[in-house]
Amino acid sequence: MFGRKKLRQNYEKSVEGYVDDIKWFLPNAKTFCDMADIFAIYADPTRLKILTALSLRDMCVGDLAEVLSINQTTLSHQLRFLKNCSVVKNSRSGKSIIYSLSGSNIENLMSDVSTMIDAN
């Protein structure tokens, strides 16, 4: 992730000097704060349900509410939050607004986390 492969290649046989290299490869404090903010987005079970459903299919609010058994007010609030965080996007299709994930990296994250949980 942050040069782990390179560090492993350099120090597979020797551990001398790795501490300074690890310090150099670590992101700065602001990056860690930004990472924590991103993880906070995924720390809510309702948002995780929404993201998991949207990783399977783009949907309108009514369909999401039915699939997830969530009232539309709560759902709309969470979708607005996720949209403001650039995690979901929406588009108009006739009278409906269709929500989808904003990128394949989010779909991959949802899949990877599910796989990690299933492996334990």
Side-chain angles (χ1 to χ4, degrees):
M1 182 168 150
F2 298 112
R4 175 177 277 220
K5 187 174 183 179
K6 183 174 181 177
L7 281 173
R8 283 188 176 160
Q9 290 170 349
N10 290 342
Y11 298 106
E12 283 180 349
K13 296 182 181 176
S14 169
V15 293
E16 293 178 22
Y18 74 88
V19 171
D20 289 335
D21 281 349
I22 289 173
K23 287 180 182 179
W24 186 84
F25 273 100
L26 286 175
N28 62 36
K30 182 186 179 325
T31 300
F32 280 119
C33 287
D34 291 344
M35 289 171 65
D37 289 343
I38 289 171
F39 281 114
I41 294 167
Y42 300 95
D44 180 86
T46 301
R47 290 194 290 264
L48 288 175
K49 288 177 186 178
I50 294 166
L51 294 172
T52 301
L54 291 177
S55 73
L56 300 170
R57 178 177 165 79
D58 300 350
M59 286 183 261
C60 67
V61 173
D63 291 345
L64 271 168
E66 184 178 340
V67 166
L68 301 175
S69 299
I70 299 172
N71 73 56
Q72 286 193 13
T73 304
T74 301
L75 184 58
S76 292
H77 171 75
Q78 294 297 345
L79 286 168
R80 189 177 318 105
F81 176 86
L82 292 168
K83 186 177 177 199
N84 289 341
C85 294
S86 301
V87 177
V88 300
K89 60 185 179 180
N90 63 18
S91 59
R92 186 167 290 282
S93 176
K95 293 183 179 182
S96 297
I97 296 177
I98 307 299
Y99 285 87
S100 60
L101 298 179
S102 64
S104 61
N105 56 336
I106 298 163
E107 184 177 337
N108 293 340
L109 175 64
M110 300 308 294
S111 176
D112 289 348
V113 170
S114 290
T115 301
M116 277 177 32
I117 291 168
D118 289 345
N120 289 326

